[in-house]
Amino acid sequence: MKTESSRHVDVSIVVPVHNCRPYLDRCLTSLLMQPVSKEIVVVDDGSTDGSRDLLADYAQKFPEIRVCYQQASGGAARPRNRAIAQAGGRYVFFCDADDHLGPEALPRMLAMAERNGSDIVLGKMVGHGRKVPTSMFRENRDRAPLGESTVYNLLTCFKLFRRELLTRHRIRFDESLRVGEDIIFSVHAYCHAQTISVVADHDCYHLMARPDGSSIMQEPGSRDPLAWLRMIRAPIELMIRHVPAGPLRDHLLRRHFRFDILGQLGAPFLTADAAVRRVIAQEVSGMCATWLTDGVLERLRPIDRLRAASLGDVDRLVRLARVETAALRRRLTGLAWVGDRLEVSGRASLADSWNGVTVGLLLRERSTSAERRVPVTSVADVFVGSVEVSRLPPGVWDMYVVIAREGVRRVARFGADRDPEVGSPAPRLMSAVAVPYFTRPRGNLSIDVGGHVAAVPGSVRLTRAAWGGKGTLTIEGSVTVGGGCPAAWSARQVVWRERSSGNERRVSASAAGDARFTATATLDVPGVWEADLELNLGGPPLRYPVQVGEAELAELGPGMAWWRGRRRWTATVRASKIRRRLVVTVRARDPRAVVRRSIRIGR
């Protein structure tokens, strides 16, 4: 008989446990619900809160769960290493006991690994009270090379690893560390992985903050800057032993300088006293002297380059940190059209201080990230900017406020905090329609040039119509957009759509002056045809119903009739009940049906 220990296992799930009783049910349930061939290897690291008894109950009920017990080691490294030694699956996945997996997380990650022969698979992380990296989860990737992606930014161990990779290269956690042990593990695995894949379209791993703040990473001092700087040397030296000097190493070092080294000169730097600040600056300076190449430097953010250049001036480093971490206050106080320019006024400051601060506005196009600076006049913390909207290419332009001080540039979305009387101005029609609007749900200011995402109010009214021969109808109408701007020049075509089948007939529309258009269509197919005018306002084509009044209906009369072959055709016009859309009903009858209808009418 095939025993549980000898059965085929795809994934060994490793769970270190230390006093996690309130979270264990959710964690273990999420693991048991994963529809893959699995084993759950739990190592209890000296729990004293009842976790041990709960684990025993689970192990008795579910054969997939194996539980080991050991004395408290003070961290997750030793229990994880013990679980790896006992794992029998083709892949290993690490999950902390206070976190949990999303439904179908492991099947999706396993399928990605099987399809591509992956050594490591990253599954999208979701933070609950904790920040998680996002740059590597913008799209699914079958292959994400270290040098051509941001996967190296994610150095937690909550990934799917091929067990053979861990065994062959003796990749284990550093048991001397309470914090950062997974960084060394992940760096070592990345250095040997041939194929790295990403599952970005599904919430795989839920990273939780404990309400009582009892996890190691939530403990005070868990990110002590000096301890962190001394810890991070080991993974950097490990990476350098495996990756030769060049662009790839510079790309990987960029991650360490930005988040691990120069990052300690931000908020952590401010919490240290003067003596410790000097030591931190010396540690960072030594690392820069050893590893900060020109290739790394050019990849860094401006704030990080400023810090690297200021390591000999602790007071400057403090000022830079204060500017970077200070609360950025901004408020929109006015928004109005002045001719074809959109005037934006507001207030902006850093932590109630405006001395030495430069304020500006920036527009960034949402899909391309193209940027346009907005000319601004400012006095103290009050500013007025003027957006020349007619010069903006079509797209959705998001508004940002920019505050610069000490060479540090702070950029933040703008408009959510605004005076009560500030509303969205009406759309303005220029070479394209421009729609200022406030995003949902946050309410930040954006300008949609071309009507890509914002609704563009418009009106199309039938002013004149005439029948031609055999179902030919010529219509003329007025078209306005936004606040009543004539827009006949933007008329592209009239689209006649048959209600039941969805079939469309498109006929070109031409401008007849500034506000009027004309179009001729032959409606000689049976059905109920509804008319829309399609406009080209600089973005995607926009459609508006052609609305008709009683006078225009009367002008068209009862419709028209004609013979084609042995069938009698009729076309009648009416207005739809809801929007008074122009509707033409076309019917075809054989001679007998015509006679029968005539008799009924005669009676």
Side-chain angles (χ1 to χ4, degrees), residues 132-151:
V132 296
T134 59
S135 63
M136 66 290 302
F137 296 123
R138 289 174 183 153
E139 62 180 356
N140 285 356
R141 296 195 65 171
D142 290 341
R143 289 172 173 78
L146 281 180
E148 301 171 19
S149 69
T150 60
V151 294

Side-chain angles (χ1 to χ4, degrees), residues 298-476:
E298 69 184 16
R299 288 169 166 83
L300 293 176
R301 300 175 303 164
I303 177 63
D304 294 322
R305 291 197 290 270
L306 280 172
R307 285 173 176 150
S310 305
L311 289 171
D313 186 346
V314 173
D315 291 338
R316 178 100 197 278
L317 292 174
V318 170
R319 294 196 302 272
L320 292 175
R322 285 177 176 159
V323 172
E324 187 192 29
T325 59
L328 195 161
R329 296 179 173 85
R330 66 273 192 198
R331 186 174 181 85
L332 177 64
T333 58
L335 184 65
W337 289 108
V338 179
D340 285 344
R341 295 174 180 266
L342 186 64
E343 189 170 280
V344 183
S345 56
R347 299 193 303 272
S349 63
L350 284 176
D352 299 321
S353 173
W354 50 265
N355 279 333
V357 170
T358 301
V359 179
L361 289 175
L362 176 72
L363 287 167
R364 182 177 294 154
E365 206 285 314
R366 193 172 295 173
S367 61
T368 65
S369 297
E371 293 184 349
R372 297 286 190 276
R373 291 184 178 181
V374 178
V376 166
T377 301
S378 62
V379 178
D381 63 338
V382 178
F383 67 88
V384 177
S386 181
V387 182
E388 197 168 355
V389 178
S390 61
R391 291 184 174 271
L392 293 177
V396 181
W397 294 85
D398 296 322
M399 181 75 73
Y400 293 82
V401 67
V402 182
I403 291 186
R405 188 178 186 186
E406 289 282 344
V408 180
R409 188 169 175 260
R410 297 280 304 278
V411 180
R413 285 289 269 125
F414 182 56
D417 183 15
R418 56 184 180 271
D419 288 350
E421 65 274 12
V422 177
S424 301
R428 184 61 57 94
L429 191 60
M430 291 166 272
S431 57
V433 68
V435 189
Y437 74 102
F438 295 106
T439 63
R440 294 181 180 178
R442 297 187 177 179
N444 288 307
L445 176 61
S446 297
I447 305 172
D448 185 345
V449 180
H452 295 78
V453 298
V456 181
S459 174
V460 179
R461 295 280 302 181
L462 184 71
T463 57
R464 182 176 173 276
W467 289 107
K470 296 186 178 181
T472 300
L473 179 63
T474 298
I475 64 173
E476 183 180 288

Side-chain angles (χ1 to χ4, degrees), residues 67 523 547:
V67 183
L523 303 174
Q547 297 175 308

Side-chain angles (χ1 to χ4, degrees), residues 63-352:
E64 302 102 312
I65 296 179
R66 290 191 287 122
V67 183
C68 307
Y69 302 95
Q70 64 182 34
Q71 291 184 345
S73 65
R78 186 174 299 170
R80 285 177 182 153
N81 284 341
R82 183 173 178 182
I84 293 172
Q86 299 186 25
R90 295 186 300 119
Y91 296 89
V92 177
F93 187 87
F94 297 94
C95 181
D96 278 357
D98 45 4
D99 301 329
H100 62 278
L101 295 186
E104 299 290 323
L106 287 183
R108 290 171 183 253
M109 298 174 74
L110 182 62
M112 178 70 81
E114 299 283 65
R115 185 168 63 250
N116 298 291
S118 311
D119 291 313
I120 302 175
V121 179
L122 286 67
K124 182 181 177 182
M125 299 179 69
V126 181
H128 302 271
R130 295 179 64 180
K131 290 184 178 180
V132 296
T134 59
S135 63
M136 66 290 302
F137 296 123
R138 289 174 183 153
E139 62 180 356
N140 285 356
R141 296 195 65 171
D142 290 341
R143 289 172 173 78
L146 281 180
E148 301 171 19
S149 69
T150 60
V151 294
Y152 191 78
N153 285 356
L154 184 62
L155 293 182
T156 63
C157 65
F158 310 125
K159 310 177 184 73
L160 188 72
F161 296 89
R162 187 180 296 276
R163 186 168 67 89
E164 194 269 338
L165 173 80
L166 306 182
T167 302
R168 185 199 314 167
H169 299 286
R170 299 179 182 178
I171 300 170
R172 294 295 185 270
F173 293 89
D174 187 336
E175 296 183 13
S176 68
L177 298 175
R178 290 189 76 236
V179 174
E181 79 290 340
D182 52 348
I183 293 180
I184 295 177
F185 181 92
S186 294
V187 167
H188 198 180
Y190 276 137
C191 288
H192 290 290
Q194 296 297 311
T195 301
I196 302 167
S197 304
V198 180
V199 174
D201 62 352
H202 185 73
D203 294 344
C204 294
Y205 194 90
H206 293 263
L207 187 69
M208 310 299 294
R210 295 191 193 180
D212 59 3
S214 59
S215 71
I216 290 177
M217 291 307 298
Q218 290 176 272
E219 291 177 2
S222 63
R223 290 297 298 266
D224 172 73
L226 273 178
W228 191 267
L229 286 168
R230 288 160 184 168
M231 177 278 296
I232 206 64
R233 284 183 176 272
I236 293 175
E237 290 168 350
L238 175 65
M239 181 272 290
I240 285 175
R241 288 198 299 271
H242 288 86
V243 180
L248 175 57
R249 182 193 285 185
D250 289 340
H251 176 72
L252 303 183
L253 279 171
R254 170 192 172 275
R255 187 265 184 228
H256 291 296
F257 272 100
R258 177 176 176 180
F259 297 110
D260 301 318
I261 300 175
L262 295 170
Q264 305 309 312
L265 299 176
F269 197 65
L270 295 178
T271 62
D273 60 34
V276 174
R277 286 173 183 169
R278 286 193 292 272
V279 179
I280 293 172
Q282 290 169 2
E283 287 280 343
V284 172
S285 182
M287 291 176 163
C288 288
T290 305
W291 296 315
L292 186 60
T293 66
D294 290 341
V296 176
L297 194 63
E298 69 184 16
R299 288 169 166 83
L300 293 176
R301 300 175 303 164
I303 177 63
D304 294 322
R305 291 197 290 270
L306 280 172
R307 285 173 176 150
S310 305
L311 289 171
D313 186 346
V314 173
D315 291 338
R316 178 100 197 278
L317 292 174
V318 170
R319 294 196 302 272
L320 292 175
R322 285 177 176 159
V323 172
E324 187 192 29
T325 59
L328 195 161
R329 296 179 173 85
R330 66 273 192 198
R331 186 174 181 85
L332 177 64
T333 58
L335 184 65
W337 289 108
V338 179
D340 285 344
R341 295 174 180 266
L342 186 64
E343 189 170 280
V344 183
S345 56
R347 299 193 303 272
S349 63
L350 284 176
D352 299 321

